[in-house]
PDB file of all heavy atoms in Angstrom:
ATOM      1  N   VAL M1135      53.984  39.821  35.210  1.00  0.00           N
ATOM      2  CA  VAL M1135      54.696  41.171  35.369  1.00  0.00           C
ATOM      3  C   VAL M1135      56.248  40.977  35.473  1.00  0.00           C
ATOM      4  O   VAL M1135      56.664  40.052  36.224  1.00  0.00           O
ATOM      5  CB  VAL M1135      54.131  41.901  36.634  1.00  0.00           C
ATOM      6  CG1 VAL M1135      54.936  43.250  36.808  1.00  0.00           C
ATOM      7  CG2 VAL M1135      52.689  42.160  36.582  1.00  0.00           C
ATOM      8  N   TYR M1136      56.972  41.658  34.606  1.00  0.00           N
ATOM      9  CA  TYR M1136      58.406  41.499  34.571  1.00  0.00           C
ATOM     10  C   TYR M1136      59.108  42.591  35.092  1.00  0.00           C
ATOM     11  O   TYR M1136      58.819  43.811  34.720  1.00  0.00           O
ATOM     12  CB  TYR M1136      58.845  41.277  32.997  1.00  0.00           C
ATOM     13  CG  TYR M1136      58.384  39.871  32.600  1.00  0.00           C
ATOM     14  CD1 TYR M1136      57.087  39.726  32.174  1.00  0.00           C
ATOM     15  CD2 TYR M1136      59.284  38.935  32.508  1.00  0.00           C
ATOM     16  CE1 TYR M1136      56.673  38.600  31.722  1.00  0.00           C
ATOM     17  CE2 TYR M1136      58.936  37.534  32.009  1.00  0.00           C
ATOM     18  CZ  TYR M1136      57.365  37.381  31.625  1.00  0.00           C
ATOM     19  OH  TYR M1136      57.058  36.215  31.105  1.00  0.00           O
ATOM     20  N   TYR M1137      60.102  42.321  36.042  1.00  0.00           N
ATOM     21  CA  TYR M1137      60.728  43.463  36.679  1.00  0.00           C
ATOM     22  C   TYR M1137      62.275  43.430  36.308  1.00  0.00           C
ATOM     23  O   TYR M1137      62.919  42.339  36.321  1.00  0.00           O
ATOM     24  CB  TYR M1137      60.720  43.214  38.225  1.00  0.00           C
ATOM     25  CG  TYR M1137      59.330  43.277  38.792  1.00  0.00           C
ATOM     26  CD1 TYR M1137      58.618  42.085  39.012  1.00  0.00           C
ATOM     27  CD2 TYR M1137      58.736  44.441  39.167  1.00  0.00           C
ATOM     28  CE1 TYR M1137      57.313  42.264  39.617  1.00  0.00           C
ATOM     29  CE2 TYR M1137      57.567  44.681  39.797  1.00  0.00           C
ATOM     30  CZ  TYR M1137      56.772  43.428  39.903  1.00  0.00           C
ATOM     31  OH  TYR M1137      55.499  43.487  40.575  1.00  0.00           O
ATOM     32  N   CYS M1138      62.753  44.573  36.059  1.00  0.00           N
ATOM     33  CA  CYS M1138      64.178  44.743  35.917  1.00  0.00           C
ATOM     34  C   CYS M1138      64.774  45.628  36.910  1.00  0.00           C
ATOM     35  O   CYS M1138      64.197  46.670  37.342  1.00  0.00           O
ATOM     36  CB  CYS M1138      64.361  45.451  34.466  1.00  0.00           C
ATOM     37  SG  CYS M1138      65.916  46.304  34.200  1.00  0.00           S
ATOM     38  N   ILE M1139      65.776  45.119  37.471  1.00  0.00           N
ATOM     39  CA  ILE M1139      66.386  45.885  38.624  1.00  0.00           C
ATOM     40  C   ILE M1139      67.872  45.896  38.606  1.00  0.00           C
ATOM     41  O   ILE M1139      68.421  44.837  38.109  1.00  0.00           O
ATOM     42  CB  ILE M1139      66.016  45.506  40.092  1.00  0.00           C
ATOM     43  CG1 ILE M1139      66.508  44.150  40.466  1.00  0.00           C
ATOM     44  CG2 ILE M1139      64.400  45.428  40.136  1.00  0.00           C
ATOM     45  CD1 ILE M1139      66.267  43.882  41.982  1.00  0.00           C
ATOM     46  N   GLY M1140      68.514  46.871  39.079  1.00  0.00           N
ATOM     47  CA  GLY M1140      69.992  46.823  39.195  1.00  0.00           C
ATOM     48  C   GLY M1140      70.241  46.389  40.590  1.00  0.00           C
ATOM     49  O   GLY M1140      69.549  46.744  41.574  1.00  0.00           O
ATOM     50  N   ASP M1141      71.292  45.534  40.858  1.00  0.00           N
ATOM     51  CA  ASP M1141      71.415  44.983  42.161  1.00  0.00           C
ATOM     52  C   ASP M1141      72.161  45.790  43.215  1.00  0.00           C
ATOM     53  O   ASP M1141      72.623  45.354  44.104  1.00  0.00           O
ATOM     54  CB  ASP M1141      71.936  43.479  42.078  1.00  0.00           C
ATOM     55  CG  ASP M1141      73.522  43.519  41.899  1.00  0.00           C
ATOM     56  OD1 ASP M1141      74.100  44.481  41.236  1.00  0.00           O
ATOM     57  OD2 ASP M1141      74.197  42.609  42.167  1.00  0.00           O
ATOM     58  N   ASN M1142      72.407  47.136  42.713  1.00  0.00           N
ATOM     59  CA  ASN M1142      73.021  47.986  43.745  1.00  0.00           C
ATOM     60  C   ASN M1142      71.861  48.952  44.330  1.00  0.00           C
ATOM     61  O   ASN M1142      72.233  49.995  44.909  1.00  0.00           O
ATOM     62  CB  ASN M1142      74.070  48.874  43.155  1.00  0.00           C
ATOM     63  CG  ASN M1142      75.387  48.175  43.317  1.00  0.00           C
ATOM     64  OD1 ASN M1142      75.446  46.999  43.669  1.00  0.00           O
ATOM     65  ND2 ASN M1142      76.446  48.878  42.796  1.00  0.00           N
ATOM     66  N   ASN M1143      70.666  48.785  44.136  1.00  0.00           N
ATOM     67  CA  ASN M1143      69.650  49.541  44.466  1.00  0.00           C
ATOM     68  C   ASN M1143      68.776  49.156  45.719  1.00  0.00           C
ATOM     69  O   ASN M1143      67.693  49.544  45.951  1.00  0.00           O
ATOM     70  CB  ASN M1143      68.639  49.927  43.409  1.00  0.00           C
ATOM     71  CG  ASN M1143      67.738  48.669  43.094  1.00  0.00           C
ATOM     72  OD1 ASN M1143      68.062  47.649  43.497  1.00  0.00           O
ATOM     73  ND2 ASN M1143      66.628  48.892  42.373  1.00  0.00           N
ATOM     74  N   ASP M1144      69.551  48.425  46.584  1.00  0.00           N
ATOM     75  CA  ASP M1144      68.833  47.938  47.864  1.00  0.00           C
ATOM     76  C   ASP M1144      67.510  47.214  47.607  1.00  0.00           C
ATOM     77  O   ASP M1144      66.683  47.328  48.337  1.00  0.00           O
ATOM     78  CB  ASP M1144      68.694  49.119  48.841  1.00  0.00           C
ATOM     79  CG  ASP M1144      70.033  49.551  49.358  1.00  0.00           C
ATOM     80  OD1 ASP M1144      70.874  48.784  49.584  1.00  0.00           O
ATOM     81  OD2 ASP M1144      70.081  50.780  49.586  1.00  0.00           O
ATOM     82  N   MET M1145      67.439  46.569  46.507  1.00  0.00           N
ATOM     83  CA  MET M1145      66.290  45.613  46.169  1.00  0.00           C
ATOM     84  C   MET M1145      65.092  46.429  46.061  1.00  0.00           C
ATOM     85  O   MET M1145      63.949  45.809  46.340  1.00  0.00           O
ATOM     86  CB  MET M1145      66.168  44.538  47.300  1.00  0.00           C
ATOM     87  CG  MET M1145      67.558  43.738  47.506  1.00  0.00           C
ATOM     88  SD  MET M1145      68.265  43.249  46.072  1.00  0.00           S
ATOM     89  CE  MET M1145      69.611  42.150  46.704  1.00  0.00           C
ATOM     90  N   ARG M1146      65.073  47.520  45.586  1.00  0.00           N
ATOM     91  CA  ARG M1146      63.854  48.318  45.343  1.00  0.00           C
ATOM     92  C   ARG M1146      63.446  47.986  44.003  1.00  0.00           C
ATOM     93  O   ARG M1146      64.011  48.046  42.941  1.00  0.00           O
ATOM     94  CB  ARG M1146      64.095  49.741  45.480  1.00  0.00           C
ATOM     95  CG  ARG M1146      64.084  50.278  46.889  1.00  0.00           C
ATOM     96  CD  ARG M1146      64.691  51.657  46.928  1.00  0.00           C
ATOM     97  NE  ARG M1146      64.412  52.204  48.314  1.00  0.00           N
ATOM     98  CZ  ARG M1146      65.233  52.069  49.354  1.00  0.00           C
ATOM     99  NH1 ARG M1146      66.157  51.188  49.294  1.00  0.00           N
ATOM    100  NH2 ARG M1146      64.861  52.591  50.563  1.00  0.00           N
ATOM    101  N   PHE M1147      62.067  47.533  43.831  1.00  0.00           N
ATOM    102  CA  PHE M1147      61.514  47.209  42.602  1.00  0.00           C
ATOM    103  C   PHE M1147      60.580  48.288  42.139  1.00  0.00           C
ATOM    104  O   PHE M1147      59.962  48.848  42.929  1.00  0.00           O
ATOM    105  CB  PHE M1147      60.655  45.866  42.707  1.00  0.00           C
ATOM    106  CG  PHE M1147      61.447  44.628  42.884  1.00  0.00           C
ATOM    107  CD1 PHE M1147      62.174  44.337  44.023  1.00  0.00           C
ATOM    108  CD2 PHE M1147      61.460  43.713  41.836  1.00  0.00           C
ATOM    109  CE1 PHE M1147      62.946  43.158  44.064  1.00  0.00           C
ATOM    110  CE2 PHE M1147      62.142  42.479  42.015  1.00  0.00           C
ATOM    111  CZ  PHE M1147      62.858  42.320  43.073  1.00  0.00           C
ATOM    112  N   GLY M1148      60.382  48.406  40.848  1.00  0.00           N
ATOM    113  CA  GLY M1148      59.612  49.383  40.303  1.00  0.00           C
ATOM    114  C   GLY M1148      58.310  48.790  40.132  1.00  0.00           C
ATOM    115  O   GLY M1148      57.970  47.672  40.587  1.00  0.00           O
ATOM    116  N   ALA M1149      57.489  49.324  39.095  1.00  0.00           N
ATOM    117  CA  ALA M1149      56.164  48.744  38.837  1.00  0.00           C
ATOM    118  C   ALA M1149      56.231  47.627  37.800  1.00  0.00           C
ATOM    119  O   ALA M1149      55.345  46.673  37.712  1.00  0.00           O
ATOM    120  CB  ALA M1149      55.243  49.746  38.217  1.00  0.00           C
ATOM    121  N   GLY M1150      57.465  47.444  37.068  1.00  0.00           N
ATOM    122  CA  GLY M1150      57.565  46.442  36.092  1.00  0.00           C
ATOM    123  C   GLY M1150      56.681  46.688  34.820  1.00  0.00           C
ATOM    124  O   GLY M1150      56.074  47.599  34.680  1.00  0.00           O
ATOM    125  N   THR M1151      56.856  45.587  33.877  1.00  0.00           N
ATOM    126  CA  THR M1151      56.105  45.637  32.764  1.00  0.00           C
ATOM    127  C   THR M1151      55.102  44.447  32.734  1.00  0.00           C
ATOM    128  O   THR M1151      55.437  43.335  32.987  1.00  0.00           O
ATOM    129  CB  THR M1151      56.897  45.364  31.447  1.00  0.00           C
ATOM    130  OG1 THR M1151      57.869  46.520  31.397  1.00  0.00           O
ATOM    131  CG2 THR M1151      56.204  45.282  30.159  1.00  0.00           C
ATOM    132  N   ARG M1152      53.808  44.808  32.586  1.00  0.00           N
ATOM    133  CA  ARG M1152      52.804  43.700  32.614  1.00  0.00           C
ATOM    134  C   ARG M1152      52.721  43.201  31.164  1.00  0.00           C
ATOM    135  O   ARG M1152      52.319  43.846  30.241  1.00  0.00           O
ATOM    136  CB  ARG M1152      51.492  44.241  33.019  1.00  0.00           C
ATOM    137  CG  ARG M1152      50.404  43.160  33.013  1.00  0.00           C
ATOM    138  CD  ARG M1152      49.172  43.716  33.663  1.00  0.00           C
ATOM    139  NE  ARG M1152      49.428  44.168  35.084  1.00  0.00           N
ATOM    140  CZ  ARG M1152      49.287  43.433  36.168  1.00  0.00           C
ATOM    141  NH1 ARG M1152      49.053  42.080  35.837  1.00  0.00           N
ATOM    142  NH2 ARG M1152      49.509  43.808  37.331  1.00  0.00           N
TER     143      ARG M1152
END
Side-chain angles (χ1 to χ4, degrees):
Chain M
V1135 178
Y1136 289 78
Y1137 299 97
C1138 160
I1139 69 168
D1141 79 335
N1142 273 6
N1143 71 342
D1144 289 323
M1145 308 311 189
R1146 283 169 166 78
F1147 285 71
T1151 296
R1152 184 173 298 276

